[in-house]
Amino acid sequence: MVYRYFYDCEFIEDGRVIDLVSIGVVDEYGREFYAVSTEFDDSRAVPWVRRNVLGRLPSPADRAWRSRARIRDELEEFLLEPVRGRPSEQVELWAWYAAYDHVSLAQLWGSMVALPREIPRFTKDLRQLWDDRGRPPLPEAEAARHDALVDARHNLARWRAMTGSGRHGAGTPWISTTGG
């Protein structure tokens, strides 16, 4: 059995470094996770990222802002809680143009070998699935793009459109047990 997550990361990159700005994750059942890093270097952002990503982040007073260590710990709990004690289920990660998103996620633990063994070492690519399926019609994106949680929700909608999978559950935001 597979427990699927759909996610998106916003980041600053310069061809050598990928610096996580925010991450949004949803599962097939409506659980959601969203966090903004307090540790990215906004001075390295190109004008496009300043305008389309940084300019759309929540207020710094919002609870979504967290250290990378806290994002890592809370994300690990979010991803593994539904499969804990269920050895027949495994986590599956999906993103649109997944390569940089996966690096952004994996770097929360440091090197890829530091990822918990239950978290996949790769993310399946929705864009590739779309090509493989003959480019079927996909749902329109919301106007407010480059918001990691909005884009993660859209990734789930894309997957459902491509696979014919309906909605399995009502939306249930994931609340951190550590106050975040």
Side-chain angles (χ1 to χ4, degrees):
M1 301 257 315
V2 174
Y3 200 97
R4 290 179 189 89
Y5 290 97
F6 302 85
Y7 75 105
D8 183 70
C9 295
E10 298 301 336
F11 46 82
I12 297 168
E13 65 93 14
D14 62 8
R16 295 179 55 93
V17 175
I18 301 171
D19 194 5
L20 178 71
V21 172
S22 62
I23 184 169
V25 186
V26 299
D27 70 14
E28 294 177 83
Y29 306 98
R31 292 170 60 247
E32 298 182 339
F33 177 89
Y34 178 69
V36 179
S37 173
T38 58
E39 299 176 41
F40 64 87
D41 181 358
D42 65 346
S43 72
R44 292 184 21 253
V46 297
W48 187 94
V49 170
R50 288 185 181 288
R51 186 175 53 255
N52 294 292
V53 175
L54 303 183
R56 295 183 180 175
L57 293 173
S59 160
D62 193 286
R63 292 177 27 185
W65 289 80
R66 303 171 191 163
S67 69
R68 289 175 56 87
R70 186 168 163 209
I71 292 170
R72 178 198 62 227
D73 294 346
E74 292 180 7
L75 180 59
E76 182 175 352
E77 177 62 23
F78 174 79
L79 294 173
L80 300 182
E81 186 271 329
V83 299
R84 193 170 285 119
R86 300 165 77 180
S88 65
E89 285 207 58
Q90 55 185 287
V91 170
E92 194 172 87
L93 302 172
W94 287 88
W96 186 263
Y97 288 105
Y100 278 38
D101 294 291
H102 187 79
V103 171
S104 296
L105 180 144
Q107 285 180 340
L108 288 169
W109 283 268
S111 67
M112 192 180 299
V113 296
L115 270 170
R117 63 178 172 74
E118 301 89 354
I119 298 176
R121 298 313 191 250
F122 67 97
T123 295
K124 295 187 176 200
D125 197 307
L126 288 162
R127 177 61 173 76
Q128 184 175 2
L129 179 65
W130 184 60
D131 277 341
D132 292 348
R133 298 270 168 117
R135 297 183 173 206
L138 294 176
E140 291 291 322
E142 289 186 33
R145 301 286 297 167
H146 306 295
D147 172 296
L149 186 55
V150 170
D151 291 348
R153 290 174 185 147
H154 190 237
N155 285 342
L156 172 56
R158 287 170 168 156
W159 183 80
R160 286 182 172 149
M162 287 187 274
T163 63
S165 298
R167 186 170 177 85
H168 295 333
T172 307
W174 187 76
I175 308 292
S176 167
T177 57
T178 58

